[in-house]
Amino acid sequence: MGDDGVVRRVEAGGSTAFWEPGSQILWRYRENGGESFHIARPVTVVRDDAELLAVWMAPGTECVRPVLADGTSLNSEPLTSRYKKPRGVRLGRWSGTGVLKLARPGEPWSVWLFWEQGWRFKNWYVNLETPLARWDGGVDSEDHFLDICVYPDRTWNWLDEDEFAQAQQDGLMDASAARAVREAGLSAVEVIRAWGPPFSDGWQHWRPNPAWGVPSLPEDWDRTPAHLSS
């Protein structure tokens, strides 16, 4: 909570009270080096308080994802030119099993939990990103390319270091920002090595409420929050 003991203040001004479990919100990412949103995922709030925001993205959720301007997948483009070509967005369904996302206020990463079919736990995924900014319809961030995978046996490894390097080479991230991202990753590694929250909290045993269903993607998924508009 904020200093007033009632709500946590939004970075850009205004305030957003905590969401009740079962609330449906958007989890969005701005494009790197721009202001438009290129990822938007409707999610259901599991927990929201001064310590943690936990949300569930159900299988089959309609999401917004970035694509090349001609509609082809980003992964079909060689990395050396992937960040230089014009882009658009496309609607599609989340094809995998559901994802539980956990974020602590002000922390420059979120932790996602993945399962195989039949709820066999697969791994934690540390997504390095700007701390979530809250607004009345959800939370916004910017992805920082570099990630960490954490396995059930507590081993871990860096992911997407090639993308992280290419983003710097293509001017999407300067040296100072890149250092800050790597430092954030090393801070996350310290938590992993100490097996602190949320890894030690047993979230891999959590299951969603079947009554929640699958949230819908609102038509105005890319709207600018009122407190950010001029």
Side-chain angles (χ1 to χ4, degrees):
M1 293 188 181
D3 292 339
D4 56 9
V6 178
V7 296
R8 182 162 65 243
R9 296 297 174 187
V10 180
E11 283 182 15
S15 63
T16 301
F18 298 126
W19 290 294
E20 293 292 328
S23 302
Q24 296 179 353
I25 64 172
L26 282 173
W27 186 296
R28 308 190 298 184
Y29 289 96
R30 291 182 300 277
E31 61 185 355
N32 300 98
E35 292 300 321
S36 299
F37 294 100
H38 68 166
I39 293 174
R41 296 167 176 168
V43 294
T44 302
V45 173
V46 175
R47 170 184 162 186
D48 185 31
D49 54 38
E51 299 299 323
L52 185 75
L53 171 64
V55 304
W56 170 245
M57 184 168 65
T61 297
E62 185 178 30
C63 302
V64 177
R65 63 182 176 89
V67 293
L68 296 178
D70 63 4
T72 59
S73 167
L74 297 182
N75 290 334
S76 66
E77 182 69 22
L79 186 57
T80 52
S81 54
R82 187 177 304 169
Y83 299 128
K84 299 175 183 176
K85 289 200 169 182
R87 294 190 178 191
V89 295
R90 171 175 285 182
L91 303 185
R93 299 279 175 182
W94 185 262
S95 59
T97 57
V99 181
L100 180 67
K101 299 187 177 189
L102 311 173
R104 292 170 57 87
E107 207 159 54
W109 66 78
S110 56
V111 178
W112 306 357
L113 283 78
F114 289 88
W115 288 266
E116 304 283 7
Q117 294 292 337
W119 287 104
R120 185 169 65 86
F121 183 62
K122 183 178 179 183
N123 64 272
W124 294 270
Y125 181 94
V126 179
N127 196 72
L128 297 171
E129 59 193 27
T130 57
L132 297 180
R134 297 168 63 98
W135 54 288
D136 60 355
V139 291
D140 296 341
S141 181
E142 182 175 327
D143 183 76
H144 286 160
F145 302 99
L146 189 63
D147 306 296
I148 304 169
C149 191
V150 185
Y151 302 96
D153 65 359
R154 303 190 184 186
T155 59
W156 61 274
N157 59 265
W158 297 102
L159 295 177
D160 304 325
E161 292 196 271
D162 55 345
E163 295 182 11
F164 184 55
Q166 190 68 47
Q168 295 171 64
Q169 186 174 325
D170 291 344
L172 293 178
M173 182 178 294
D174 62 25
S176 175
R179 282 194 300 271
V181 171
R182 180 67 75 172
E183 288 170 3
L186 292 173
S187 294
V189 168
E190 290 181 8
V191 177
I192 296 164
R193 286 175 170 159
W195 208 245
F199 308 102
S200 58
D201 289 340
W203 283 103
Q204 64 270 33
H205 306 299
W206 172 87
R207 299 293 182 265
N209 183 338
W212 284 343
V214 180
S216 299
L217 180 72
E219 291 186 7
D220 59 348
W221 59 266
D222 58 348
R223 67 190 182 276
T224 300
H227 67 266
L228 294 180
S229 47
S230 54

